[in-house]
Amino acid sequence: MKTEERTFVAIKPDGVKRGIIGKIIERFENKGFKIVAMKLLQVTPELAAKHYEEHQGKPFYNRLVHYITSGPVVAMVIEGYEAIESVRHIVGATNPMNADVGTIRADFAQVMEYNVIHASDSPNSAQREINLYFKPEEIYDNWQSMLELITYNEERFQG
Ligand code: CMP
C-alpha cells in the first residue's frame, strides 16, 4: 500500500544563518522527496504563537519564540511516501544529544534550543502548519518529479 503524504519543514534561523540551507535540502532530495512549496520568510511573533501554541506556558516557550523570530526561516512542504514519519527520521530527535548519527540534528546541532530544523509530528500538525505558512496557490504539485517516479511511485510514470 503506497501512502503519499505532505509534511511541513522549516529550517530555523540558526540553520539559515550558518549557511547550511543547501546541505539540509539535499538530504530530502537525496531521499527522493518532492518539494512542492518553499519560501524564505521572517516569522512574526503572531505566527510563532500560532505555530507553537501547544508549547505556550512551558518554561522554554519565550526562548523558543525569540529563537524562531530571530532571523529568516526557510519553510517547505515536502511530499512523498509516508513523508511525515520519514522526514522525522531524517531530522532526528528533538534533542540533538539523542538524535541518531546521520540525522540532521545529530550532524548539525548540539542543543535542543538551537536544533536547526522543525518538522511536523503528525498528520494533523502537518495540515495545520502547512495552512499556517502557505496559501493553497503557493503549493505546486502539477509537475512530475523524476524522483517520485523512481523512488516510490512508478505507476505515475506516463512515458
Ligand atoms: P521543534 O521541533 O521546532 O518543536 C518545538 C521546539 O521547542 C523544539 O523543536 C525545540 O526547538 C524546542 N524545545 C522543545 N523542548 C524544549 C526544551 N525542553 N527546552 C528547550 N527547547 C525545547
Side-chain angles (χ1 to χ4, degrees):
M1 178 66 184
K2 292 177 177 176
T3 316
E4 191 173 81
E5 283 179 342
R6 282 181 181 173
T7 191
F8 174 75
V9 170
I11 302 173
K12 296 179 178 179
D14 52 329
V16 174
K17 289 175 184 172
R18 286 168 58 187
I20 54 173
I21 297 170
K23 286 189 172 132
I24 292 174
I25 291 175
E26 183 179 33
R27 295 187 175 214
F28 298 118
E29 290 188 321
N30 285 347
K31 182 77 171 176
F33 287 136
K34 181 177 179 180
I35 298 170
V36 295
M38 180 159 63
K39 63 182 164 190
L40 182 96
L41 76 151
Q42 174 66 48
V43 176
T44 61
E46 294 73 29
L47 178 56
K50 286 184 188 156
H51 182 162
Y52 286 127
E53 68 184 11
E54 69 182 286
H55 297 298
Q56 280 177 29
K58 294 185 182 169
F60 60 85
Y61 178 75
N62 288 345
R63 271 182 291 134
L64 176 59
V65 170
H66 181 261
Y67 160 48
I68 202 71
T69 59
S70 65
V73 306
V74 173
M76 282 172 269
V77 180
I78 289 180
E79 192 176 276
Y81 176 71
E82 297 196 352
I84 297 165
E85 192 180 338
S86 191
V87 162
R88 282 183 68 85
H89 277 304
I90 294 170
V91 164
T94 305
N95 187 341
M97 286 278 285
N98 303 327
D100 289 335
V101 172
T103 62
I104 293 168
R105 285 171 173 160
D107 291 356
F108 292 106
Q110 294 184 44
V111 295
M112 195 137 61
E113 284 83 352
Y114 303 104
N115 62 359
V116 172
I117 187 164
H118 168 83
S120 307
D121 63 4
S122 68
N124 281 348
S125 310
Q127 198 50 60
R128 197 181 73 82
E129 292 165 3
I130 289 169
N131 292 343
L132 269 180
Y133 281 82
F134 291 97
K135 299 181 189 130
E137 61 267 29
E138 291 176 319
I139 299 174
Y140 300 97
D141 194 21
N142 58 349
W143 55 284
Q144 211 169 48
S145 156
M146 293 314 295
L147 297 173
E148 69 183 315
L149 303 178
I150 290 164
T151 54
Y152 84 102
N153 209 349
E154 207 178 330
E155 68 262 30
R156 269 200 182 181
F157 189 62
Q158 286 157 13

